[in-house]
Amino acid sequence: MAKEQLIVVGAGVAGCAAALEAAQLGLKVTLIDEHPQGLQAMSLDAPYFYGARLAAVLDDAATIGERVLGANEPLLECLEAGVEILTGTCIWGSYRPGANSTHLAAPQLGLADGERSWLIEYDHLILAPGSRDLVLSFPGWQLPGVLGANGAAALLDRYQALSGSRMVILGSGNIALRTAKLALEKGVTVAALVEAAPAIRGDAALAAELAQAGVSFHTGHTIERALGEQEVCAVRLVAVDAATNPVRDSAQEIACDTVCMAFGAVPNVELASLTGCRIAFDAARGGWAPVLDASFRSSIANVYVAGDGAGVAEPMHLDPGIAAEQGRRAARAVAAAEGRNVAAEGEALAVAGGDSVLAAAGHWLRSLVKAGGMDVVVCQCEDVTRRELLEVSPPKYLNAGNLKSCGGVGALPPASRNSQDILKRMTRAGMGHCQGKRCRDQVLLLLAEAAGTPPAALVPGSYRAPVRALPLSVLWAGEETDEMRRTWPIWLHPVDEGAPGYASAKAMESGRGEG
Amino acid sequence: MEKADAVVIGAGIMGLSAGYWLAQRGAKVIVLDKGRVAWEASGRATGFLSLRGEQPLEAPLAAAAETLWSTLDERLGYPTEWLPGGRLWVALEPDRLAELRDICPQWQAAGIPVQLLDGAGARAIAPCLSEQTLGGLHTTRGGHANPQRASQAFAWAFRDSGGAIREQTPALGITVAGGKVRAVQTPNGSISTPVVINCAGPQVGLIAAMVGVTVPLAPVRLEAMVTVPLPRLFDVAMVGHGLSLRQTRRGNIHFNGGPHEWVDVDLTGEPAKPGTPVIRNIARRLAELFPSLANTPVLRSWSGVLEVTPDQTCIIERLAAPDGMIIATASGHGFGLAPSIGQAICDLALDGRSQVPIDGLGLDRFAKLDPGWRALRRWTAGSYNT
């Protein structure tokens, strides 16, 4: 198996800065990025909420490849600096030797492109996986034309493939304002920017600039529904008071073909979590984020996390320099560990706080529940509504309406009540094609509200390999040895015909057991 | 001190089933678990019920379980996703086919209807099977259910019957006096009880050791996976090409098998359950078994820790000393048997003997077991793929 000195995952701002710095310090660097993605992967809303109206051009691999690479100048700099670059390659697994997995030779990552999967070992790993769209639902959110802010930015900028021309943006934090600015730059009309809270949350100067450009701000409003038959044609907004109650007779419709959910972004911790890095709740950094030192080193000595994946603070949406410096710090720490002469770091980088994205999202969610009700789908893949989630109803495919109610979330024992995984197992919310990327955060917010606990007290759902849904034929172990084929165990071991046949280990060498 | 008629250690499906049946008979029961309901093996199991034709000592329990499974949704009031779809063992290689031929008479001798099929016969039952399929062994008996939902169904029904579940409450000790069990110690105090039911899965041995009893077990970690949901392809619970698999009621193919690592467990901690890259090899086997599904995406994988007895047969016994201690482990195939094992435990607790025969499942069969048996078999922690 190939072994790399340093693998950097993610060719965004932080990843490219890390790779370039490390290469300039003389390290051998491999930079891996899942973009350009195949249309099938994008249709599963991983890593972003791209929505259900992806442009046909995305199927043209050559054109898209050119656009995505052309849009990433830092990546070209990395290439010139001698960084080995794998694009169109996702990381789906991360494995380390450790308790109850002692036979694994070395830390390794699972990689895949559209055709095959393979494993590589590493000495050092810098994860720069970016952030995930925080998604909250409202009636009509399944319509083509609804997408997330990260998804919109990727389609507008990297892929140049947003099929829409008139956008309504939900949210007013920096990610919402940034998306509005990008949309305007790309020739998309911003028909409205909506905020449930009474005031704009994000940067005042940028908000003023957008207002100057003609963007109309609807603070103290929430979305009642997205309208349309085949795709979005308008949104219906309703005014809300400070306690998120809808104001009577305040509904208004705004024509648009695109609704961008820019409620916020949360760090994408799936790979850090799979790797075994300690994750803890930090409201100022977007919720559950890796625990890191001043060098962005995780709880595992040779694993670092930088950029939005390390925690999303509000200023980071407007100042890419923060993520870049985090990446460079991680790279310098790796270089120091490899014996390079690296100047000592100055002060720890202040991760500027700002308000908690989850608090803002909680405010939004309360307004959406009041305007849209409890029978709105939370999990698109498995068709689970808010009510079904909190009542812990059996999934619809069981037609179990004649059976009892279990009493809902509140009737679970306390440890089960705080576990997203238990809720996932019972309702299936988060079990579907998108692997929970679209519903995970809303489920946690609903659970916190229903259980009366702060989000920090919840145990978020676990992450499982493969963190990108991969076809059997891609995950398929092409290099499997004859030895493995020959010794592949039949579960488990045979029962000796003279059972209880425990006396002889030898008698247990052939036959079969039961799964 | 808090009092109970029985304390069950382990909120897996077996302990919850025992608790449910006891509560049905009016007993005050407390189920303890160091973690959450069905958080370990019960929530990670394959979900099979086999009629245990290859192990006549367990066949009566399996037959009783099958009868119970067919009524469980109504009885418990919650869905288990039980699907009485029968069982199919398939062979893609001549050696495997020869094994199926050998095992067939055992099943017939146990009075379970089984049929040897050729490749076409096997594919008639599961048309997605590879054209390389040489044959199969089929029975219409047995089936499968959703391990998580069935375990939780027992938990809810137990609760509805007045039972108490204490999560994150490990048993730390057992008080014995005058040759009898008296109490169970927990971090939140002791519970006075005349009956302690040890259904602690991989921890059964550690719990038994609290009263000086040796239960030979080897915990093992293995891996499972699911695909995206597919249209209905087959109902049988299938074993073949090194995998155990079923299609869930939702439509996902749930499959597992392959190399596994022997591990150790402790009394209070959650065992580490890391995955490994072996999922690629497991995925390959499913694609070889079902070539037409090769482009089906895999959604997730997970690991679980379960326990195996030296002869891979259940241990179910009410100990003579100390009196009041009941031990139950099903050696990694307890899911399907749990409804009837729970009943047997209930009988043992209240009547002293089980109505369903459990003869031969006691600890005395290990009297001559070499104390170093795990090492002899290379089943000690860290050993792999043996």
Side-chain angles (χ1 to χ4, degrees):
Chain A
M1 192 185 306
K3 185 171 194 183
E4 307 297 337
Q5 187 177 38
L6 169 62
I7 293 178
V8 179
V9 177
V13 173
C16 285
L20 188 60
E21 183 87 349
Q24 286 168 349
L25 287 166
L27 301 184
K28 191 178 168 313
V29 187
T30 303
L31 176 59
I32 303 171
D33 194 78
E34 66 184 310
H35 302 283
Q37 296 184 280
L39 190 55
Q40 196 191 359
M42 296 176 82
S43 68
L44 296 175
D45 287 323
Y48 310 133
F49 193 118
Y50 292 111
R53 192 179 58 198
L54 292 166
V57 67
L58 289 164
D59 224 5
D60 177 355
T63 305
I64 289 303
E66 242 167 68
R67 285 182 187 177
V68 169
L69 298 182
N72 195 340
E73 217 157 288
L75 186 65
L76 301 177
E77 275 181 68
C78 289
L79 194 62
E80 279 167 27
V83 173
E84 188 185 339
I85 293 171
L86 296 176
T87 55
T89 304
C90 74
I91 309 291
W92 52 264
S94 181
Y95 300 101
R96 299 180 66 82
N100 296 354
S101 181
T102 56
H103 61 93
L104 209 62
Q108 53 197 260
L109 297 174
L111 281 65
D113 57 22
E115 305 288 318
R116 67 185 189 105
S117 73
W118 67 101
L119 300 165
I120 49 176
E121 296 177 353
Y122 58 85
D123 291 330
H124 307 275
L125 175 64
I126 298 178
L127 297 171
S131 62
R132 190 180 68 238
D133 289 308
L134 192 157
V135 174
L136 304 173
S137 61
F138 46 84
W141 75 301
Q142 298 104 318
L143 286 171
V146 178
L147 78 183
N150 277 331
L155 291 175
L156 281 166
D157 201 12
R158 261 186 270 187
Y159 289 88
Q160 299 165 45
L162 183 88
S163 53
S165 61
R166 192 173 160 82
M167 180 185 281
V168 166
I169 295 176
L170 307 176
S172 73
N174 284 341
I175 191 170
L177 303 180
R178 184 186 74 180
T179 306
K181 186 177 177 186
L182 178 64
L184 293 175
E185 283 168 7
K186 298 291 179 183
V188 173
T189 302
V190 177
L193 195 145
V194 184
E195 171 56 54
I200 297 293
R201 291 177 46 237
D203 183 76
L206 179 53
E209 183 187 327
L210 292 169
Q212 192 74 37
V215 174
S216 81
F217 290 79
H218 298 254
T219 53
H221 280 73
T222 195
I223 180 168
E224 194 182 280
R225 62 167 54 241
L227 302 165
E229 295 281 320
Q230 303 299 319
E231 57 183 350
V232 171
C233 66
V235 291
R236 185 182 297 139
L237 304 182
V238 60
V240 291
D241 63 21
T244 70
N245 295 304
V247 176
R248 189 187 289 260
D249 299 328
S250 67
Q252 60 177 308
E253 287 182 12
I254 295 176
C256 62
D257 56 25
T258 304
V259 179
C260 177
M261 293 183 282
F263 303 116
V266 292
N268 204 0
V269 299
E270 54 194 0
L271 286 177
S273 175
L274 276 191
T275 308
C277 302
R278 203 159 86 75
I279 309 283
F281 186 84
D282 182 349
R285 295 193 297 145
W288 284 271
V291 176
L292 303 169
D293 72 8
S295 295
F296 295 85
R297 186 196 307 259
S298 75
S299 60
I300 297 173
N302 62 342
V303 180
Y304 302 75
V305 191
D308 284 358
V312 189
E314 276 296 291
M316 295 173 75
H317 293 302
L318 302 182
D319 180 3
I322 300 171
E325 178 54 20
Q326 292 181 357
R328 286 191 290 269
R329 281 205 175 206
R332 288 196 290 271
V334 172
E338 282 288 315
R340 301 298 192 284
N341 189 11
V342 181
E345 299 291 352
E347 304 259 306
L349 269 189
V351 184
D355 65 347
S356 157
V357 63
L358 290 185
H363 190 84
W364 259 108
L365 181 56
R366 282 188 290 279
S367 80
L368 293 170
V369 169
K370 284 175 185 164
M374 289 299 285
D375 295 315
V376 177
V377 165
V378 172
C379 171
Q380 282 190 22
C381 301
E382 298 287 323
D383 189 18
V384 183
T385 66
R386 290 180 186 133
R387 187 184 310 283
E388 288 161 343
L389 183 82
L390 296 181
E391 290 184 354
V392 198
S393 305
K396 295 182 183 75
Y397 65 84
L398 289 176
N399 296 315
N402 56 329
L403 299 176
K404 280 193 248 184
S405 159
C406 71
V409 166
L412 290 170
S416 286
R417 191 186 309 153
N418 288 350
S419 164
Q420 183 169 26
D421 276 333
I422 296 277
L423 204 54
K424 182 168 129 182
R425 291 170 171 195
M426 291 304 109
T427 65
R428 298 196 67 80
M431 285 282 208
H433 291 70
C434 83
Q435 300 179 306
K437 292 172 185 74
R438 295 185 290 210
C439 68
R440 170 179 276 270
D441 303 295
Q442 182 171 197
V443 168
L444 282 165
L445 289 168
L446 287 166
L447 187 55
E449 191 102 351
T453 49
L458 301 178
V459 183
S462 51
Y463 293 93
R464 309 282 193 199
V467 292
R468 296 288 177 268
L470 294 179
L472 290 166
S473 56
V474 171
L475 197 54
W476 168 292
E479 77 292 2
E480 184 171 280
T481 60
D482 287 346
E483 164 79 2
M484 179 169 262
R485 292 194 82 73
R486 203 168 42 74
T487 60
W488 186 267
I490 308 296
W491 174 255
L492 202 174
H493 295 270
V495 175
D496 182 11
E497 57 183 25
Y502 51 83
S504 158
K506 200 168 171 52
M508 314 272 293
E509 273 168 15
S510 65
R512 87 172 28 70
E514 174 55 38
Chain B
M1 196 191 303
E2 188 174 24
K3 284 186 177 172
D5 297 323
V7 171
V8 178
I9 303 172
I13 189 166
M14 198 185 287
L16 293 164
S17 167
Y20 168 76
W21 296 112
L22 282 163
Q24 291 302 298
R25 289 182 58 183
K28 186 192 173 197
V29 184
I30 299 172
V31 175
L32 307 179
D33 199 282
K34 64 183 176 52
R36 299 184 176 89
V37 168
W39 192 247
E40 297 289 346
S42 294
R44 296 159 192 269
T46 314
F48 283 5
L49 168 69
S50 168
L51 271 293
R52 304 301 295 161
E54 70 273 46
Q55 179 44 280
L57 295 177
E58 293 177 344
L61 282 169
E66 188 185 37
T67 305
L68 289 170
W69 273 112
S70 65
T71 62
L72 221 46
D73 284 26
E74 271 182 50
R75 185 189 290 272
L76 301 180
Y78 304 97
T80 63
E81 303 195 22
W82 167 244
L83 188 66
R87 301 291 310 267
L88 178 67
W89 290 260
V90 295
L92 268 59
E93 289 154 348
D95 287 359
R96 300 275 97 87
L97 187 62
E99 289 169 6
L100 296 184
R101 287 209 183 93
D102 288 348
I103 204 174
C104 186
Q106 287 181 44
W107 280 71
Q108 285 163 339
I112 297 160
V114 289
Q115 198 185 355
L116 263 178
L117 305 170
D118 61 9
R123 288 202 305 281
I125 291 167
C128 54
L129 276 168
S130 164
E131 291 182 9
Q132 311 290 315
T133 305
L134 298 178
L137 185 64
H138 179 239
T139 172
T140 54
R141 303 282 301 280
H144 58 93
N146 178 328
Q148 298 166 343
R149 208 173 291 291
S151 304
Q152 191 68 53
F154 270 111
W156 280 327
F158 170 61
R159 174 204 64 185
D160 294 347
S161 313
I165 299 172
R166 305 273 163 79
E167 294 183 318
Q168 295 179 334
T169 308
L172 300 178
I174 296 170
T175 308
V176 176
K180 292 183 174 172
V181 164
R182 304 290 181 177
V184 176
Q185 286 119 43
T186 80
N188 307 319
S190 291
I191 305 167
S192 167
T193 180
V195 174
V196 175
I197 297 164
N198 178 1
C199 291
Q203 283 81 11
V204 158
L206 300 174
I207 301 287
M210 291 175 177
V211 297
V213 171
T214 300
V215 178
L217 293 176
V220 65
R221 177 191 58 78
L222 32 73
E223 293 172 75
M225 307 166 72
V226 288
T227 68
V228 297
L230 297 167
R232 181 120 310 266
L233 297 166
F234 53 87
D235 288 339
V236 284
M238 199 185 302
V239 172
H241 202 43
L243 301 177
S244 298
L245 60 111
R246 67 188 186 104
Q247 186 175 22
T248 67
R249 290 279 292 271
R250 174 70 177 96
N252 316 68
I253 308 281
H254 171 181
F255 58 113
N256 64 30
H260 34 270
E261 179 160 328
W262 299 96
V263 304
D264 280 331
V265 295
D266 64 39
L267 264 177
T268 55
E270 180 177 339
K273 293 177 284 287
T276 77
V278 161
I279 63 168
R280 297 171 67 234
N281 307 83
I282 298 173
R284 176 173 173 156
R285 267 157 193 74
L286 187 65
E288 287 171 345
L289 189 62
F290 299 151
S292 58
L293 303 186
N295 290 325
T296 303
V298 171
L299 278 185
R300 58 188 165 269
S301 62
W302 64 91
S303 272
V305 173
L306 53 82
E307 78 280 15
V308 182
T309 63
D311 56 5
Q312 295 183 58
T313 299
C314 294
I315 300 169
I316 304 171
E317 179 172 354
R318 179 171 176 141
L319 298 178
D323 183 40
M325 181 84 179
I326 296 170
I327 286 167
T329 156
S331 190
H333 53 267
F335 175 78
L337 302 177
S340 57
I341 291 180
Q343 273 193 332
I345 292 169
C346 172
D347 293 349
L348 287 173
L350 299 182
D351 310 329
R353 62 179 302 277
S354 166
Q355 285 187 41
V356 178
I358 54 170
D359 307 328
L361 298 179
L363 280 169
D364 57 349
R365 70 187 197 263
F366 302 115
K368 290 182 190 160
L369 183 71
D370 186 325
W373 68 280
R374 280 187 73 182
L376 284 171
R377 291 188 195 177
R378 299 187 305 278
W379 284 14
T380 42
S383 301
Y384 187 64
N385 196 16
T386 57

